[in-house]
mmCIF file of all heavy atoms in Angstrom:
data_model
loop_
_atom_site.group_PDB
_atom_site.id
_atom_site.type_symbol
_atom_site.label_atom_id
_atom_site.label_comp_id
_atom_site.label_asym_id
_atom_site.label_seq_id
_atom_site.Cartn_x
_atom_site.Cartn_y
_atom_site.Cartn_z
ATOM 1 N N GLY A 1134 15.598 -10.722 4.542
ATOM 2 C CA GLY A 1134 15.817 -12.101 4.118
ATOM 3 C C GLY A 1134 15.363 -12.354 2.698
ATOM 4 O O GLY A 1134 15.510 -11.510 1.817
ATOM 5 N N GLU A 1135 14.772 -13.509 2.480
ATOM 6 C CA GLU A 1135 14.382 -13.949 1.142
ATOM 7 C C GLU A 1135 13.331 -13.028 0.522
ATOM 8 O O GLU A 1135 12.425 -12.538 1.199
ATOM 9 C CB GLU A 1135 13.812 -15.371 1.230
ATOM 10 C CG GLU A 1135 13.276 -15.912 -0.090
ATOM 11 C CD GLU A 1135 12.494 -17.202 0.081
ATOM 12 O OE1 GLU A 1135 12.280 -17.601 1.244
ATOM 13 O OE2 GLU A 1135 12.081 -17.778 -0.944
ATOM 14 N N ILE A 1136 13.474 -12.785 -0.779
ATOM 15 C CA ILE A 1136 12.450 -12.072 -1.540
ATOM 16 C C ILE A 1136 11.557 -13.129 -2.170
ATOM 17 O O ILE A 1136 11.964 -13.847 -3.081
ATOM 18 C CB ILE A 1136 13.074 -11.189 -2.636
ATOM 19 C CG1 ILE A 1136 14.027 -10.171 -2.021
ATOM 20 C CG2 ILE A 1136 11.979 -10.487 -3.430
ATOM 21 C CD1 ILE A 1136 14.797 -9.360 -3.051
ATOM 22 N N LYS A 1137 10.343 -13.220 -1.673
ATOM 23 C CA LYS A 1137 9.425 -14.217 -2.208
ATOM 24 C C LYS A 1137 9.005 -13.849 -3.632
ATOM 25 O O LYS A 1137 8.850 -12.688 -3.967
ATOM 26 C CB LYS A 1137 8.195 -14.334 -1.312
ATOM 27 C CG LYS A 1137 8.487 -14.932 0.050
ATOM 28 C CD LYS A 1137 7.205 -15.107 0.851
ATOM 29 C CE LYS A 1137 7.491 -15.744 2.202
ATOM 30 N NZ LYS A 1137 6.247 -15.928 3.002
ATOM 31 N N ASN A 1138 8.841 -14.868 -4.453
ATOM 32 C CA ASN A 1138 8.384 -14.710 -5.842
ATOM 33 C C ASN A 1138 9.362 -13.905 -6.694
ATOM 34 O O ASN A 1138 8.964 -13.260 -7.667
ATOM 35 C CB ASN A 1138 6.996 -14.056 -5.883
ATOM 36 C CG ASN A 1138 5.969 -14.830 -5.097
ATOM 37 O OD1 ASN A 1138 5.911 -16.054 -5.168
ATOM 38 N ND2 ASN A 1138 5.147 -14.127 -4.317
ATOM 39 N N LEU A 1139 10.641 -13.986 -6.354
ATOM 40 C CA LEU A 1139 11.645 -13.239 -7.107
ATOM 41 C C LEU A 1139 11.688 -13.663 -8.569
ATOM 42 O O LEU A 1139 11.993 -12.857 -9.453
ATOM 43 C CB LEU A 1139 13.020 -13.428 -6.463
ATOM 44 C CG LEU A 1139 14.180 -12.627 -7.075
ATOM 45 C CD1 LEU A 1139 13.890 -11.130 -7.044
ATOM 46 C CD2 LEU A 1139 15.487 -12.939 -6.348
ATOM 47 N N ASP A 1140 11.385 -14.928 -8.852
ATOM 48 C CA ASP A 1140 11.388 -15.413 -10.230
ATOM 49 C C ASP A 1140 10.363 -14.684 -11.093
ATOM 50 O O ASP A 1140 10.516 -14.604 -12.317
ATOM 51 C CB ASP A 1140 11.131 -16.914 -10.279
ATOM 52 C CG ASP A 1140 9.789 -17.303 -9.682
ATOM 53 O OD1 ASP A 1140 9.428 -16.765 -8.614
ATOM 54 O OD2 ASP A 1140 9.090 -18.145 -10.281
ATOM 55 N N LEU A 1141 9.327 -14.128 -10.463
ATOM 56 C CA LEU A 1141 8.331 -13.339 -11.182
ATOM 57 C C LEU A 1141 8.617 -11.843 -11.086
ATOM 58 O O LEU A 1141 8.447 -11.099 -12.054
ATOM 59 C CB LEU A 1141 6.930 -13.622 -10.621
ATOM 60 C CG LEU A 1141 6.404 -15.055 -10.759
ATOM 61 C CD1 LEU A 1141 5.054 -15.183 -10.057
ATOM 62 C CD2 LEU A 1141 6.270 -15.440 -12.224
ATOM 63 N N ILE A 1142 9.037 -11.403 -9.909
ATOM 64 C CA ILE A 1142 9.255 -9.972 -9.667
ATOM 65 C C ILE A 1142 10.394 -9.413 -10.507
ATOM 66 O O ILE A 1142 10.268 -8.336 -11.113
ATOM 67 C CB ILE A 1142 9.535 -9.722 -8.172
ATOM 68 C CG1 ILE A 1142 8.289 -10.040 -7.351
ATOM 69 C CG2 ILE A 1142 9.984 -8.287 -7.934
ATOM 70 C CD1 ILE A 1142 8.538 -10.065 -5.853
ATOM 71 N N LYS A 1143 11.503 -10.143 -10.585
ATOM 72 C CA LYS A 1143 12.681 -9.628 -11.279
ATOM 73 C C LYS A 1143 12.418 -9.351 -12.763
ATOM 74 O O LYS A 1143 12.680 -8.243 -13.251
ATOM 75 C CB LYS A 1143 13.858 -10.596 -11.092
ATOM 76 C CG LYS A 1143 15.200 -10.047 -11.543
ATOM 77 C CD LYS A 1143 16.316 -11.015 -11.148
ATOM 78 C CE LYS A 1143 17.676 -10.499 -11.586
ATOM 79 N NZ LYS A 1143 18.760 -11.442 -11.193
ATOM 80 N N PRO A 1144 11.900 -10.312 -13.539
ATOM 81 C CA PRO A 1144 11.625 -10.013 -14.952
ATOM 82 C C PRO A 1144 10.499 -9.001 -15.143
ATOM 83 O O PRO A 1144 10.521 -8.215 -16.095
ATOM 84 C CB PRO A 1144 11.248 -11.373 -15.548
ATOM 85 C CG PRO A 1144 10.846 -12.215 -14.384
ATOM 86 C CD PRO A 1144 11.653 -11.738 -13.225
ATOM 87 N N LEU A 1145 9.526 -8.982 -14.241
ATOM 88 C CA LEU A 1145 8.431 -8.024 -14.368
ATOM 89 C C LEU A 1145 8.910 -6.606 -14.075
ATOM 90 O O LEU A 1145 8.498 -5.648 -14.742
ATOM 91 C CB LEU A 1145 7.293 -8.417 -13.421
ATOM 92 C CG LEU A 1145 5.992 -7.608 -13.516
ATOM 93 C CD1 LEU A 1145 5.530 -7.477 -14.962
ATOM 94 C CD2 LEU A 1145 4.918 -8.268 -12.675
ATOM 95 N N HIS A 1146 9.786 -6.467 -13.104
ATOM 96 C CA HIS A 1146 10.391 -5.158 -12.811
ATOM 97 C C HIS A 1146 11.149 -4.654 -14.025
ATOM 98 O O HIS A 1146 11.047 -3.471 -14.403
ATOM 99 C CB HIS A 1146 11.328 -5.292 -11.611
ATOM 100 C CG HIS A 1146 12.083 -4.052 -11.278
ATOM 101 N ND1 HIS A 1146 13.393 -3.852 -11.659
ATOM 102 C CD2 HIS A 1146 11.718 -2.924 -10.611
ATOM 103 C CE1 HIS A 1146 13.811 -2.676 -11.232
ATOM 104 N NE2 HIS A 1146 12.812 -2.098 -10.597
ATOM 105 N N ALA A 1147 11.896 -5.538 -14.681
ATOM 106 C CA ALA A 1147 12.639 -5.152 -15.876
ATOM 107 C C ALA A 1147 11.708 -4.793 -17.023
ATOM 108 O O ALA A 1147 11.942 -3.824 -17.765
ATOM 109 C CB ALA A 1147 13.580 -6.287 -16.289
ATOM 110 N N ALA A 1148 10.634 -5.556 -17.178
ATOM 111 C CA ALA A 1148 9.684 -5.306 -18.260
ATOM 112 C C ALA A 1148 9.017 -3.945 -18.097
ATOM 113 O O ALA A 1148 8.853 -3.187 -19.069
ATOM 114 C CB ALA A 1148 8.631 -6.405 -18.293
ATOM 115 N N LEU A 1149 8.644 -3.598 -16.872
ATOM 116 C CA LEU A 1149 8.015 -2.299 -16.625
ATOM 117 C C LEU A 1149 9.016 -1.155 -16.805
ATOM 118 O O LEU A 1149 8.652 -0.078 -17.278
ATOM 119 C CB LEU A 1149 7.415 -2.271 -15.216
ATOM 120 C CG LEU A 1149 6.174 -3.151 -15.011
ATOM 121 C CD1 LEU A 1149 5.808 -3.216 -13.533
ATOM 122 C CD2 LEU A 1149 4.999 -2.625 -15.825
ATOM 123 N N ALA A 1150 10.265 -1.408 -16.442
ATOM 124 C CA ALA A 1150 11.296 -0.384 -16.645
ATOM 125 C C ALA A 1150 11.513 -0.109 -18.132
ATOM 126 O O ALA A 1150 11.799 1.027 -18.535
ATOM 127 C CB ALA A 1150 12.605 -0.832 -15.989
ATOM 128 N N ASP A 1151 11.370 -1.136 -18.959
ATOM 129 C CA ASP A 1151 11.527 -0.991 -20.406
ATOM 130 C C ASP A 1151 10.286 -0.392 -21.067
ATOM 131 O O ASP A 1151 10.328 -0.047 -22.248
ATOM 132 C CB ASP A 1151 11.808 -2.365 -21.047
ATOM 133 C CG ASP A 1151 13.202 -2.878 -20.736
ATOM 134 O OD1 ASP A 1151 14.064 -2.053 -20.361
ATOM 135 O OD2 ASP A 1151 13.411 -4.096 -20.857
ATOM 136 N N ARG A 1152 9.193 -0.293 -20.312
ATOM 137 C CA ARG A 1152 7.933 0.209 -20.863
ATOM 138 C C ARG A 1152 7.440 1.411 -20.051
ATOM 139 O O ARG A 1152 6.430 1.334 -19.337
ATOM 140 C CB ARG A 1152 6.873 -0.898 -20.851
ATOM 141 C CG ARG A 1152 7.214 -2.166 -21.636
ATOM 142 C CD ARG A 1152 7.112 -1.951 -23.137
ATOM 143 N NE ARG A 1152 5.780 -1.504 -23.517
ATOM 144 C CZ ARG A 1152 4.739 -2.314 -23.730
ATOM 145 N NH1 ARG A 1152 4.889 -3.631 -23.587
ATOM 146 N NH2 ARG A 1152 3.575 -1.833 -24.092
ATOM 147 N N PRO A 1153 8.137 2.564 -20.137
ATOM 148 C CA PRO A 1153 7.734 3.732 -19.336
ATOM 149 C C PRO A 1153 6.351 4.265 -19.691
ATOM 150 O O PRO A 1153 5.784 5.056 -18.935
ATOM 151 C CB PRO A 1153 8.827 4.757 -19.647
ATOM 152 C CG PRO A 1153 9.373 4.350 -20.975
ATOM 153 C CD PRO A 1153 9.316 2.851 -20.974
ATOM 154 N N GLU A 1154 5.813 3.836 -20.829
ATOM 155 C CA GLU A 1154 4.469 4.273 -21.210
ATOM 156 C C GLU A 1154 3.379 3.555 -20.423
ATOM 157 O O GLU A 1154 2.195 3.926 -20.493
ATOM 158 C CB GLU A 1154 4.246 4.059 -22.714
ATOM 159 C CG GLU A 1154 4.046 2.629 -23.159
ATOM 160 C CD GLU A 1154 5.343 1.866 -23.413
ATOM 161 O OE1 GLU A 1154 6.392 2.316 -22.920
ATOM 162 O OE2 GLU A 1154 5.301 0.822 -24.103
ATOM 163 N N LEU A 1155 3.777 2.534 -19.645
ATOM 164 C CA LEU A 1155 2.820 1.787 -18.829
ATOM 165 C C LEU A 1155 2.886 2.261 -17.378
ATOM 166 O O LEU A 1155 3.968 2.448 -16.824
ATOM 167 C CB LEU A 1155 3.106 0.287 -18.898
ATOM 168 C CG LEU A 1155 3.042 -0.362 -20.280
ATOM 169 C CD1 LEU A 1155 3.382 -1.840 -20.173
ATOM 170 C CD2 LEU A 1155 1.677 -0.159 -20.927
ATOM 171 N N ARG A 1156 1.733 2.429 -16.769
ATOM 172 C CA ARG A 1156 1.645 2.873 -15.380
ATOM 173 C C ARG A 1156 0.852 1.849 -14.589
ATOM 174 O O ARG A 1156 -0.238 1.441 -14.998
ATOM 175 C CB ARG A 1156 0.956 4.233 -15.320
ATOM 176 C CG ARG A 1156 0.864 4.817 -13.912
ATOM 177 C CD ARG A 1156 0.190 6.171 -13.934
ATOM 178 N NE ARG A 1156 -1.193 6.080 -14.385
ATOM 179 C CZ ARG A 1156 -2.019 7.115 -14.462
ATOM 180 N NH1 ARG A 1156 -1.591 8.320 -14.182
ATOM 181 N NH2 ARG A 1156 -3.268 6.942 -14.863
ATOM 182 N N LEU A 1157 1.400 1.432 -13.440
ATOM 183 C CA LEU A 1157 0.737 0.452 -12.587
ATOM 184 C C LEU A 1157 -0.004 1.182 -11.482
ATOM 185 O O LEU A 1157 0.580 1.980 -10.748
ATOM 186 C CB LEU A 1157 1.761 -0.514 -11.993
ATOM 187 C CG LEU A 1157 1.222 -1.667 -11.149
ATOM 188 C CD1 LEU A 1157 0.344 -2.592 -11.968
ATOM 189 C CD2 LEU A 1157 2.386 -2.454 -10.525
ATOM 190 N N GLU A 1158 -1.312 0.927 -11.364
ATOM 191 C CA GLU A 1158 -2.137 1.620 -10.377
ATOM 192 C C GLU A 1158 -3.000 0.622 -9.610
ATOM 193 O O GLU A 1158 -3.409 -0.408 -10.148
ATOM 194 C CB GLU A 1158 -3.064 2.639 -11.061
ATOM 195 C CG GLU A 1158 -2.343 3.792 -11.732
ATOM 196 C CD GLU A 1158 -1.803 4.806 -10.738
ATOM 197 O OE1 GLU A 1158 -2.235 4.769 -9.559
ATOM 198 O OE2 GLU A 1158 -0.969 5.642 -11.133
ATOM 199 N N TRP A 1159 -3.312 0.965 -8.355
ATOM 200 C CA TRP A 1159 -4.192 0.150 -7.517
ATOM 201 C C TRP A 1159 -5.643 0.557 -7.740
ATOM 202 O O TRP A 1159 -5.954 1.741 -7.938
ATOM 203 C CB TRP A 1159 -3.831 0.330 -6.053
ATOM 204 C CG TRP A 1159 -4.708 -0.449 -5.111
ATOM 205 C CD1 TRP A 1159 -4.620 -1.772 -4.801
ATOM 206 C CD2 TRP A 1159 -5.819 0.053 -4.370
ATOM 207 N NE1 TRP A 1159 -5.596 -2.131 -3.914
ATOM 208 C CE2 TRP A 1159 -6.352 -1.026 -3.632
ATOM 209 C CE3 TRP A 1159 -6.411 1.310 -4.263
ATOM 210 C CZ2 TRP A 1159 -7.450 -0.885 -2.791
ATOM 211 C CZ3 TRP A 1159 -7.513 1.457 -3.427
ATOM 212 C CH2 TRP A 1159 -8.023 0.374 -2.705
ATOM 213 N N ILE A 1160 -6.544 -0.434 -7.712
ATOM 214 C CA ILE A 1160 -7.984 -0.196 -7.779
ATOM 215 C C ILE A 1160 -8.647 -1.069 -6.726
ATOM 216 O O ILE A 1160 -8.212 -2.203 -6.485
ATOM 217 C CB ILE A 1160 -8.540 -0.496 -9.193
ATOM 218 C CG1 ILE A 1160 -9.989 -0.032 -9.332
ATOM 219 C CG2 ILE A 1160 -8.401 -1.977 -9.545
ATOM 220 C CD1 ILE A 1160 -10.513 -0.081 -10.760
ATOM 221 N N ALA A 1161 -9.660 -0.545 -6.070
ATOM 222 C CA ALA A 1161 -10.313 -1.279 -4.985
ATOM 223 C C ALA A 1161 -11.005 -2.540 -5.509
ATOM 224 O O ALA A 1161 -11.685 -2.505 -6.539
ATOM 225 C CB ALA A 1161 -11.327 -0.391 -4.275
ATOM 226 N N ALA A 1162 -10.841 -3.630 -4.782
ATOM 227 C CA ALA A 1162 -11.479 -4.896 -5.148
ATOM 228 C C ALA A 1162 -12.935 -4.912 -4.729
ATOM 229 O O ALA A 1162 -13.317 -4.321 -3.719
ATOM 230 C CB ALA A 1162 -10.743 -6.057 -4.483
ATOM 231 N N HIS A 1163 -13.773 -5.581 -5.521
ATOM 232 C CA HIS A 1163 -15.178 -5.822 -5.189
ATOM 233 C C HIS A 1163 -15.897 -4.539 -4.785
ATOM 234 O O HIS A 1163 -16.648 -4.502 -3.813
ATOM 235 C CB HIS A 1163 -15.280 -6.871 -4.089
ATOM 236 C CG HIS A 1163 -14.662 -8.177 -4.475
ATOM 237 N ND1 HIS A 1163 -15.210 -9.005 -5.439
ATOM 238 C CD2 HIS A 1163 -13.523 -8.774 -4.065
ATOM 239 C CE1 HIS A 1163 -14.434 -10.072 -5.580
ATOM 240 N NE2 HIS A 1163 -13.415 -9.950 -4.768
ATOM 241 N N SER A 1164 -15.650 -3.474 -5.543
ATOM 242 C CA SER A 1164 -16.298 -2.188 -5.291
ATOM 243 C C SER A 1164 -17.195 -1.777 -6.445
ATOM 244 O O SER A 1164 -17.573 -0.611 -6.561
ATOM 245 C CB SER A 1164 -15.242 -1.105 -5.032
ATOM 246 O OG SER A 1164 -14.535 -1.378 -3.842
ATOM 247 N N GLY A 1165 -17.517 -2.714 -7.314
ATOM 248 C CA GLY A 1165 -18.425 -2.418 -8.409
ATOM 249 C C GLY A 1165 -17.783 -1.856 -9.646
ATOM 250 O O GLY A 1165 -18.481 -1.443 -10.579
ATOM 251 N N ASN A 1166 -16.441 -1.833 -9.698
ATOM 252 C CA ASN A 1166 -15.747 -1.378 -10.900
ATOM 253 C C ASN A 1166 -15.841 -2.469 -11.969
ATOM 254 O O ASN A 1166 -15.334 -3.581 -11.778
ATOM 255 C CB ASN A 1166 -14.282 -1.059 -10.590
ATOM 256 C CG ASN A 1166 -14.143 0.124 -9.658
ATOM 257 O OD1 ASN A 1166 -14.633 1.220 -9.942
ATOM 258 N ND2 ASN A 1166 -13.483 -0.088 -8.525
ATOM 259 N N ARG A 1167 -16.482 -2.135 -13.063
ATOM 260 C CA ARG A 1167 -16.854 -3.139 -14.053
ATOM 261 C C ARG A 1167 -15.687 -4.017 -14.493
ATOM 262 O O ARG A 1167 -15.778 -5.253 -14.484
ATOM 263 C CB ARG A 1167 -17.457 -2.443 -15.274
ATOM 264 C CG ARG A 1167 -17.987 -3.425 -16.315
ATOM 265 C CD ARG A 1167 -18.523 -2.720 -17.530
ATOM 266 N NE ARG A 1167 -19.630 -3.470 -18.115
ATOM 267 C CZ ARG A 1167 -20.193 -3.180 -19.282
ATOM 268 N NH1 ARG A 1167 -19.764 -2.141 -19.979
ATOM 269 N NH2 ARG A 1167 -21.190 -3.913 -19.743
ATOM 270 N N TRP A 1168 -14.588 -3.402 -14.875
ATOM 271 C CA TRP A 1168 -13.515 -4.195 -15.479
ATOM 272 C C TRP A 1168 -12.633 -4.877 -14.449
ATOM 273 O O TRP A 1168 -11.990 -5.887 -14.739
ATOM 274 C CB TRP A 1168 -12.725 -3.339 -16.460
ATOM 275 C CG TRP A 1168 -13.600 -2.888 -17.584
ATOM 276 C CD1 TRP A 1168 -14.081 -1.633 -17.828
ATOM 277 C CD2 TRP A 1168 -14.186 -3.731 -18.600
ATOM 278 N NE1 TRP A 1168 -14.910 -1.624 -18.928
ATOM 279 C CE2 TRP A 1168 -14.986 -2.899 -19.424
ATOM 280 C CE3 TRP A 1168 -14.106 -5.086 -18.893
ATOM 281 C CZ2 TRP A 1168 -15.701 -3.399 -20.515
ATOM 282 C CZ3 TRP A 1168 -14.813 -5.593 -19.977
ATOM 283 C CH2 TRP A 1168 -15.596 -4.748 -20.773
ATOM 284 N N ASN A 1169 -12.623 -4.352 -13.214
ATOM 285 C CA ASN A 1169 -11.972 -5.086 -12.139
ATOM 286 C C ASN A 1169 -12.766 -6.351 -11.822
ATOM 287 O O ASN A 1169 -12.194 -7.425 -11.608
ATOM 288 C CB ASN A 1169 -11.840 -4.217 -10.895
ATOM 289 C CG ASN A 1169 -11.365 -5.006 -9.688
ATOM 290 O OD1 ASN A 1169 -12.153 -5.319 -8.793
ATOM 291 N ND2 ASN A 1169 -10.097 -5.361 -9.653
ATOM 292 N N GLU A 1170 -14.092 -6.219 -11.806
ATOM 293 C CA GLU A 1170 -14.940 -7.388 -11.584
ATOM 294 C C GLU A 1170 -14.780 -8.400 -12.723
ATOM 295 O O GLU A 1170 -14.804 -9.614 -12.502
ATOM 296 C CB GLU A 1170 -16.410 -6.966 -11.472
ATOM 297 C CG GLU A 1170 -16.711 -5.993 -10.341
ATOM 298 C CD GLU A 1170 -16.686 -6.642 -8.969
ATOM 299 O OE1 GLU A 1170 -16.552 -7.877 -8.894
ATOM 300 O OE2 GLU A 1170 -16.804 -5.906 -7.974
ATOM 301 N N TYR A 1171 -14.607 -7.879 -13.929
ATOM 302 C CA TYR A 1171 -14.428 -8.756 -15.094
ATOM 303 C C TYR A 1171 -13.115 -9.540 -14.967
ATOM 304 O O TYR A 1171 -13.072 -10.751 -15.218
ATOM 305 C CB TYR A 1171 -14.427 -7.909 -16.363
ATOM 306 C CG TYR A 1171 -14.498 -8.690 -17.656
ATOM 307 C CD1 TYR A 1171 -15.718 -8.849 -18.310
ATOM 308 C CD2 TYR A 1171 -13.364 -9.239 -18.235
ATOM 309 C CE1 TYR A 1171 -15.796 -9.552 -19.513
ATOM 310 C CE2 TYR A 1171 -13.430 -9.945 -19.431
ATOM 311 C CZ TYR A 1171 -14.651 -10.088 -20.063
ATOM 312 O OH TYR A 1171 -14.723 -10.790 -21.245
ATOM 313 N N ALA A 1172 -12.036 -8.842 -14.577
ATOM 314 C CA ALA A 1172 -10.751 -9.524 -14.373
ATOM 315 C C ALA A 1172 -10.859 -10.552 -13.262
ATOM 316 O O ALA A 1172 -10.276 -11.646 -13.345
ATOM 317 C CB ALA A 1172 -9.659 -8.507 -14.052
ATOM 318 N N ASP A 1173 -11.593 -10.210 -12.212
ATOM 319 C CA ASP A 1173 -11.845 -11.161 -11.128
ATOM 320 C C ASP A 1173 -12.526 -12.411 -11.669
ATOM 321 O O ASP A 1173 -12.171 -13.544 -11.313
ATOM 322 C CB ASP A 1173 -12.718 -10.486 -10.070
ATOM 323 C CG ASP A 1173 -13.132 -11.436 -8.957
ATOM 324 O OD1 ASP A 1173 -14.148 -12.149 -9.135
ATOM 325 O OD2 ASP A 1173 -12.456 -11.459 -7.925
ATOM 326 N N SER A 1174 -13.506 -12.213 -12.546
ATOM 327 C CA SER A 1174 -14.220 -13.340 -13.135
ATOM 328 C C SER A 1174 -13.288 -14.200 -13.979
ATOM 329 O O SER A 1174 -13.357 -15.435 -13.938
ATOM 330 C CB SER A 1174 -15.383 -12.827 -14.001
ATOM 331 O OG SER A 1174 -16.085 -13.898 -14.594
ATOM 332 N N LEU A 1175 -12.400 -13.573 -14.726
ATOM 333 C CA LEU A 1175 -11.419 -14.332 -15.505
ATOM 334 C C LEU A 1175 -10.513 -15.160 -14.593
ATOM 335 O O LEU A 1175 -10.182 -16.309 -14.901
ATOM 336 C CB LEU A 1175 -10.563 -13.387 -16.343
ATOM 337 C CG LEU A 1175 -11.211 -12.721 -17.552
ATOM 338 C CD1 LEU A 1175 -10.213 -11.748 -18.189
ATOM 339 C CD2 LEU A 1175 -11.676 -13.739 -18.586
ATOM 340 N N SER A 1176 -10.124 -14.575 -13.460
ATOM 341 C CA SER A 1176 -9.186 -15.264 -12.572
ATOM 342 C C SER A 1176 -9.814 -16.478 -11.890
ATOM 343 O O SER A 1176 -9.099 -17.377 -11.435
ATOM 344 C CB SER A 1176 -8.644 -14.292 -11.515
ATOM 345 O OG SER A 1176 -9.593 -14.037 -10.507
#
């Protein structure tokens, strides 16, 4: 059925396809990783 948040997913998918030098990776939340915690604080 519906793809939720398609208005964000579609342009972001295209942007990442145009930027093969960028790699998207998962990092564990609230595990003491300094810059993940920093991004959490910004959010």
Side-chain angles (χ1 to χ4, degrees):
E1135 176 191 6
I1136 301 174
K1137 292 184 178 180
N1138 303 317
L1139 184 58
D1140 60 317
L1141 297 176
I1142 294 170
K1143 191 173 180 180
L1145 186 49
H1146 176 260
L1149 290 171
D1151 288 340
R1152 301 286 302 276
E1154 74 275 18
L1155 300 179
R1156 182 179 64 178
L1157 184 63
E1158 294 285 345
W1159 179 80
I1160 189 170
H1163 301 291
S1164 295
N1166 294 303
R1167 185 182 212 189
W1168 297 108
N1169 171 255
E1170 300 286 354
Y1171 190 98
D1173 175 275
S1174 179
L1175 288 176
S1176 76

